[in-house]
Amino acid sequence: MIQNLGSKTYLDTLLACDSRTASANGTGVDLEGSTGAEGEAIVILTSDAASAGTNPTLDVKLQESDASGSGYADISGATFTQVTNAASSQKITINTNDTKRYLRAVGTIGGTESPAFTYAVELIYAKKYD
């Protein structure tokens, strides 16, 4: 069966595009509420090369929770390849049926002399009820 990808997929932001010099926790996205995600979802990290710092690194991972504001834990295997001094566009796939209700991205910046990265993390998914 052929599906119309354009009308069957939805987009949510896990970490909005911004220039960051410190680690950041995204706001949790409710995978059961109005989002109603089901099945496999794609999470995309887009990052510019580091704009400052010595030995800059950016590590981004996904976390899940039963509650929107607390109790987040890492999702096994849901970690992007470390970004350093080159622009990066990466994707990982998760099964929303196997995660807890809330999903968020966490970005950790490392290095010395004020490292900075401009990056974003987006979630692309199909809705359970459409």
Side-chain angles (χ1 to χ4, degrees):
M1 178 187 333
I2 296 174
Q3 295 289 332
N4 184 340
L5 187 61
S7 66
K8 300 292 182 185
T9 55
Y10 298 86
L11 176 69
D12 247 316
T13 299
L14 297 177
L15 270 170
C17 186
D18 199 1
S19 177
R20 296 180 176 88
T21 57
S23 299
N25 293 334
T27 302
V29 170
D30 185 352
L31 298 176
E32 293 179 17
S34 61
T35 301
E38 179 177 54
E40 286 195 347
I42 298 169
V43 183
I44 298 173
L45 165 66
T46 53
S47 173
D48 291 341
S51 60
T54 301
N55 300 318
T57 60
L58 170 63
D59 295 290
V60 179
K61 63 185 176 183
L62 300 179
Q63 294 184 327
E64 64 183 351
S65 175
D66 288 321
S68 66
S70 64
Y72 279 94
D74 295 351
I75 299 174
S76 178
T79 303
F80 291 95
T81 300
Q82 186 177 71
V83 180
T84 55
N85 250 344
S88 182
S89 181
Q90 304 177 42
K91 73 169 180 130
I92 57 176
T93 303
I94 61 167
N95 189 329
T96 62
N97 297 330
D98 296 336
T99 62
K100 294 181 179 178
R101 181 170 182 166
Y102 294 91
L103 178 71
R104 76 176 182 182
V106 175
T108 303
I109 293 177
T112 58
E113 299 181 28
S114 302
F117 286 90
T118 298
Y119 68 98
V121 182
E122 303 289 341
L123 171 69
I124 301 172
Y125 61 94
K127 282 191 176 184
K128 186 180 293 187
Y129 307 106
D130 191 28

